[in-house]
């Protein structure tokens, strides 16, 4: 057996040398391994140029999911196409990682000095759908991209609002995710606010801040049927949980923030680390577990609780500068007030639009009431002659009232035309809907039906 020892040693040495010469290696906490060339590193992520399913592709990983990084030289032919049957480096990659768009290499932002990283702060303040308008976020991000700014800081201080606005903003963030790294700095993120918070790769909470209580439906968004509402809530909670998990946040915590029927538990695992989930695993002693949220409430976390549970990170004050310090990033500099300017501009435009819409909507109801009251059938003072026909006086009254009712319905139609024009302005502000819902198509159809009926019956005998 001894005579084979040198051979075994040589084989082991060859393997070690091959591994060392393979290139940079990133190993994740869930057991995946990526081999290639690290092309970009930030405070929150690392991008490696690697080979996935025989295709050269950059993969971006969050630092929170990386267990270790080994650096080594990359062979000259590492990325060259292999001949059929040849070995091709193929790291184990989940489909979600394969489909994630790779961020392009960053360029030096306009106005930034060497060694600096510019960030743009976008305030999310007030009520979603009234103070917080989707187009403001879109315009701020587009401006940041033109300037080469890559780090976006959302400073959130909101009690929520209308879900449609939160969902529209989340969609805008998804569409531009390849261009930026999103960070949330939270003073208050209640209800609809969590759509923005969960879209960020990092969440930091200032002392005294809160997050959660995501009651999904406002009054006008409820169907009025408990069973249907429960299904819709469950579907939205599932979408939010998936969004959270995609960005490295605990989905069980999110479900507890949305669904009153969900429970959340905290326990200490064998290594002494605090874990959080919807149920305590078997084998955990009762003394090592604690129920955080029961099935009768909707979860809200303070900054202290969120940090303890690993759902958010601490920060001294709610600002982009404090965020840089919390991330351990050096050379961060504010990209100016573009974020606030765009949000205020969008709010002003939307405010004018909302005021006009509400005025028209209020007048619409009054116009419909007037048209119904003017209907000749709403009177009972008509007289008929011996032949069963209206008397001349009654016929004149009938025709006069019919003409008045037709004019009233035409006024309703004119209001609907104005509201239809507003629809184009609404779409230009990237709003998927109004604060109040009006079905213009059904109303136009109703107006036409009423006018046609009145015209047919005007010369009644």
């Amino acid at each position: 057996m001894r005579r084979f020892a040198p051979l075994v040693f040589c084989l082991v040495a060859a393997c070690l040398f091959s591994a060392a010469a393979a290139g940079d290696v990133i190993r994740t906490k869930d057991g995946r391994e990526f081999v290639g060339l690290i092309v970009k590193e930030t405070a929150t992520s690392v991008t490696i140029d690697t080979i996935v399913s025989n295709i050269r592709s950059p993969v971006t990983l969050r630092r929170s999911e990386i267990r270790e990084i080994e650096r080594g030289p990359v062979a000259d032919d590492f990325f060259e196409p292999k001949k059929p049957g040849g070995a091709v480096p193929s790291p184990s990659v989940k489909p979600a990682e394969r489909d994630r768009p790779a961020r392009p290499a960053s360029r030096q932002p306009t106005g930034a000095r060497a060694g600096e990283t510019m960030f743009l702060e976008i305030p999310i303040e007030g009520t979603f759908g009234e103070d917080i308008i989707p187009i403001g976020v879109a315009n701020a991000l587009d401006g940041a991209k033109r300037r080469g700014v890559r780090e976006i800081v959302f400073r959130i201080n909101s009690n929520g609002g209308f879900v449609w606005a939160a969902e529209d903003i989340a969609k805008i963030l998804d569409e531009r995710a390849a261009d930026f790294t999103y960070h949330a700095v939270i003073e208050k993120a209640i209800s609809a606010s969590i759509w923005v918070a969960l879209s960020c790769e990092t969440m930091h909470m200032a002392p005294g801040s809160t997050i959660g209580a995501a009651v999904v439906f406002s009054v006008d968004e409820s169907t009025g049927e408990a069973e249907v509402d429960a299904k819709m809530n469950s579907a939205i909670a599932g979408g939010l949980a998936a969004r959270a998990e995609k960005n490295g946040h605990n989905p069980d915590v999110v479900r507890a923030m949305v669904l009153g029927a969900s429970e959340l538990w905290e326990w200490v695992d064998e290594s002494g680390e605090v874990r959080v989930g919807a149920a305590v695993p078997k084998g955990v002693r009762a003394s090592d577990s604690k129920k955080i949220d029961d099935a009768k409430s909707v979860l809200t976390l303070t900054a202290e609780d969120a940090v303890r549970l690993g759902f958010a990170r601490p920060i001294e004050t709610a600002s982009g500068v404090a965020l840089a310090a919390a991330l351990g990033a050096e050379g961060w500099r504010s990209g100016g007030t573009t974020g606030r300017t765009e949000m205020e501009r969008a709010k002003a435009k939307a405010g004018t639009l909302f005021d006009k819409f509400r005025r028209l909507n209020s007048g619409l109801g009054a116009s419909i009431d007037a048209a119904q009251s003017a209907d000749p059938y709403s009177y009972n003072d008509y007289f008929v002659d011996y032949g069963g026909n209206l008397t001349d006086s009654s016929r004149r009254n009938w025709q006069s009232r019919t003409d008045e009712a037709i004019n009233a319905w035409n006024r309703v139609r004119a209001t609907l035309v104005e509201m239809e024009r507003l629809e184009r302005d609404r779409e230009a502000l990237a709003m998927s809907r109004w604060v109040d819902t009006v079905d213009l198509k059904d109303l136009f159809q109703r107006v036409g039906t009423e006018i046609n009926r009145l015209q047919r019956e005007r010369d009644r005998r």
Side-chain angles (χ1 to χ4, degrees):
M1 292 298 294
R2 290 181 181 176
R3 60 182 175 180
F4 293 106
L7 177 60
V8 173
F9 175 79
C10 291
L11 289 173
V12 171
C15 291
L16 290 174
F17 177 79
S18 176
D24 297 328
V25 181
I26 300 178
R27 297 184 180 88
T28 64
K29 295 176 182 177
D30 60 6
R32 291 171 293 155
E33 184 176 281
F34 299 84
V35 180
L37 177 65
I38 292 176
V39 293
K40 183 190 172 187
E41 294 187 67
T42 70
T44 58
S45 64
V46 178
T47 300
I48 185 169
D49 192 4
T50 185
I51 297 177
V52 180
S53 299
N54 297 347
I55 300 174
R56 183 173 180 175
S57 174
V59 174
T60 300
L61 301 165
R62 294 185 300 275
R63 287 195 181 274
S64 60
E65 60 184 330
I66 296 175
R67 177 168 57 86
E68 63 178 349
I69 298 176
E70 290 184 8
R71 303 177 191 271
V74 179
D76 292 339
D77 62 347
F78 183 83
F79 292 109
E80 292 181 4
K82 307 299 180 183
K83 296 180 180 180
V88 178
S90 182
S92 174
V93 185
K94 293 182 178 179
E97 295 291 346
R98 263 199 317 270
D99 298 337
R100 179 187 296 172
R103 292 189 173 94
S106 61
R107 62 182 178 87
Q108 186 75 359
T110 304
R113 293 184 287 270
E116 284 187 334
T117 297
M118 291 183 68
F119 68 90
L120 181 66
E121 189 172 299
I122 302 177
I124 305 296
E125 299 174 328
T127 301
F128 279 77
E130 295 182 359
D131 305 303
I132 304 166
I133 307 300
I135 194 67
V137 176
N139 288 342
L141 292 177
D142 291 345
K145 182 179 179 180
R146 286 193 296 271
R147 298 177 61 200
V149 176
R150 296 292 305 282
E151 306 292 333
I152 304 298
V153 180
F154 293 103
R155 186 166 54 77
I156 304 174
N157 186 9
S158 171
N159 284 318
F162 293 91
V163 170
W164 64 263
E167 290 182 329
D168 285 359
I169 292 174
K171 182 179 179 182
I172 288 170
L173 299 187
D174 289 346
E175 291 171 346
R176 294 160 174 78
D179 299 318
F180 305 104
T181 299
Y182 300 132
H183 308 276
V185 174
I186 298 169
E187 294 178 76
K188 183 187 293 183
I190 302 299
S191 190
S193 307
I194 72 171
W195 263 265
V196 178
L198 298 177
S199 299
C200 297
E201 293 185 19
T202 69
M203 287 194 297
H204 286 75
M205 295 181 67
S209 60
T210 54
I211 184 172
V215 179
V216 173
F217 290 112
S218 296
V219 175
D220 68 312
E221 292 172 313
S222 173
T223 65
E225 297 183 16
E227 184 177 352
V228 175
D229 287 350
K231 290 181 179 179
M232 295 177 75
N233 281 343
S234 179
I236 291 178
L240 280 172
R243 177 174 294 274
E245 192 168 22
K246 173 185 175 183
N247 289 299
H249 312 304
N250 191 317
D252 290 331
V253 175
V254 175
R255 291 188 186 92
M257 289 180 173
V258 179
L259 300 175
S262 294
E263 290 187 347
L264 192 67
W265 290 80
E266 171 188 353
W267 67 92
V268 179
D269 65 12
E270 296 178 353
S271 64
E273 292 189 20
V274 175
R275 300 293 182 186
V276 182
V280 179
K282 292 182 179 180
V284 175
R285 296 176 301 181
S287 59
D288 290 333
S289 64
K290 173 185 176 183
K291 182 181 286 188
I292 303 171
D293 183 65
D294 59 28
K296 298 179 181 179
S297 63
V298 178
L299 178 67
T300 301
L301 292 177
T302 64
E304 183 181 2
D305 290 337
V307 171
R308 188 187 79 254
L309 300 175
F311 191 67
R313 306 179 195 179
I315 193 171
E316 291 185 3
T317 59
S319 71
V321 175
L323 173 64
L327 290 173
E330 297 181 357
W332 274 37
R333 187 162 68 89
S334 173
T337 60
T338 303
R340 177 168 293 279
T341 299
E342 292 294 350
M343 294 301 289
E344 290 176 349
R345 181 178 294 146
K347 177 183 175 180
K349 289 182 179 179
T352 301
L353 211 61
F354 286 147
D355 289 343
K356 189 172 183 179
F357 174 82
R358 287 171 178 140
R359 175 177 58 79
L360 290 172
N361 198 23
S362 175
L364 178 65
S367 297
I368 291 175
D369 289 342
Q372 291 173 330
S373 299
D375 196 291
Y377 279 110
S378 64
Y379 298 87
N380 57 5
D381 57 353
Y382 305 109
F383 296 96
V384 297
D385 57 22
Y386 289 108
N389 295 321
L390 292 174
T391 64
D392 290 343
S393 176
S394 293
R395 187 178 300 113
R396 285 193 295 272
N397 285 339
W398 175 272
Q399 290 176 340
S400 175
R401 289 163 180 171
T402 298
D403 291 341
E404 183 181 351
I406 290 174
N407 288 334
W409 281 112
N410 277 325
R411 285 192 290 273
V412 173
R413 189 200 299 249
T415 300
L416 294 178
V417 170
E418 280 195 69
M419 296 181 76
E420 192 173 46
R421 291 195 187 104
L422 281 184
E423 283 293 298
R424 291 190 290 272
D425 296 329
R426 175 187 63 78
E427 292 173 357
L429 286 180
M431 299 190 305
S432 64
R433 49 159 288 183
W434 292 103
V435 173
D436 300 308
T437 301
V438 175
D439 194 329
L440 295 179
K441 182 178 179 181
D442 284 353
L443 286 173
F444 269 117
Q445 185 174 0
R446 180 184 176 187
V447 169
T449 299
E450 293 290 345
I451 290 177
N452 289 337
R453 174 184 63 81
L454 290 166
Q455 289 174 337
R456 284 196 311 270
E457 299 176 355
R458 184 182 184 279
D459 296 325
R460 173 185 172 186
R461 295 294 179 181

